[in-house]
Amino acid sequence: MQIAIDGPASAGKSTIAKIIAAKLNYVYTDTGAMYRAATWLARQNKIDYSDADGIAKLIKQFPISFRVESDKQHVLVAGHDISEDIRQPQISKNVSQVAALASVRDLLVQQQRQIAQENDVVMDGRDIGTTVLPDAQVKIFLVASVQERAYRRYLENKTRGIETPLSTIEDEIAARDYKDSHRQISPLKKASDAIEVDTTKLEINQVVEEILKIIHNKTNN
């Protein structure tokens, strides 16, 4: 069973996907974290963010993996936990550029499809329903206003001790939306058979209930 959840930055994809996966006892795959890990690898190794071959080589050399501990998913590179490191502003600012590199995407998409072939999955990202899992039984496209998404990111940053002005985050999210939707390879796009859910005015539990209803209707028809 494959459930694809797509949408722009900070629309709530990861939060919602984790809860849905836990409720259904499916494997959760955070594809965004994989691209963040690739960006982190480039930064750590002083590789230019436009160097596709250099970053692809690093991914092969230092495998990206996930580990669940006490209901929290950790992101590891060659066994080293980088869960917090990949959420820093420098990574957020540059991940779009790395995610647009063809050879990097090819490598990570292969890994994502392998996970989906071996498990019941809830996978979130920007091109899951269109590119990674085009035959997914359930496709959701989460949206929210730029202002709401910026405020969510602002609160998330504060819990991590990162102080970034709200207006700066709004500008960064708007710029990220443009980059993600205009990149040549696998742009952010709603799949033709995806169901759109606007989370702007909804609480997390309301979004979860809405999506569980969609999954129930899809799998019982």
Side-chain angles (χ1 to χ4, degrees), residues 22 35 42 59 65 70 85 99 112 143 169 180:
Y35 290 105
I59 294 168
S65 61
S70 306
D85 299 340
Q112 292 154 15
V143 296
I169 299 173
D180 288 345

Side-chain angles (χ1 to χ4, degrees), residues 32-185:
M34 295 173 84
Y35 290 105
R36 284 175 173 271
T39 308
W40 179 87
L41 272 170
R43 183 172 167 78
Q44 286 296 109
N45 291 275
K46 297 182 170 53
I47 299 289
D48 193 275
Y49 294 124
S50 64
D51 185 349
D53 292 340
I55 298 172
K57 190 176 174 184
L58 286 172
I59 294 168
K60 290 175 185 172
Q61 191 178 347
F62 303 103
I64 300 164
S65 61
F66 297 103
R67 184 177 68 219
V68 177
E69 284 180 9
S70 306
D71 293 336
K72 186 182 177 187
Q73 182 159 276
H74 293 257
V75 185
L76 299 97
V77 164
H80 175 62
D81 193 332
I82 59 164
S83 307
E84 293 300 321
D85 299 340
I86 62 171
R87 301 296 166 184
Q88 297 303 311
Q90 273 302 111
I91 303 301
S92 297
K93 201 182 291 182
N94 293 292
V95 65
S96 284
Q97 186 177 352
V98 173
L101 302 172
S103 54
V104 172
R105 290 202 77 83
D106 287 347
L107 205 53
L108 294 181
V109 166
Q110 282 174 32
Q111 292 181 21
Q112 292 154 15
R113 286 177 178 158
Q114 187 67 31
I115 293 168
Q117 280 172 14
E118 296 169 357
N119 306 275
D120 292 321
V121 293
V122 180
M123 194 174 285
D124 77 280
R126 284 165 180 72
D127 65 340
I128 309 304
T130 54
T131 302
V132 183
L133 304 176
D135 298 322
Q137 293 93 326
V138 179
K139 297 180 186 178
I140 306 293
F141 195 81
L142 289 187
V143 296
S145 69
V146 169
Q147 292 76 16
E148 175 63 22
R149 288 185 284 134
Y151 184 61
R152 291 173 188 171
R153 177 65 60 83
Y154 173 76
L155 294 179
E156 187 183 315
N157 282 353
K158 282 194 83 170
T159 64
R160 293 191 164 98
I162 303 167
E163 294 291 339
T164 308
L166 184 58
S167 59
T168 301
I169 299 173
E170 280 189 18
D171 291 344
E172 286 176 355
I173 282 183
R176 177 94 193 260
D177 286 352
Y178 184 86
K179 284 180 194 171
D180 288 345
S181 57
H182 286 78
R183 70 187 180 208
Q184 284 188 313
I185 301 158

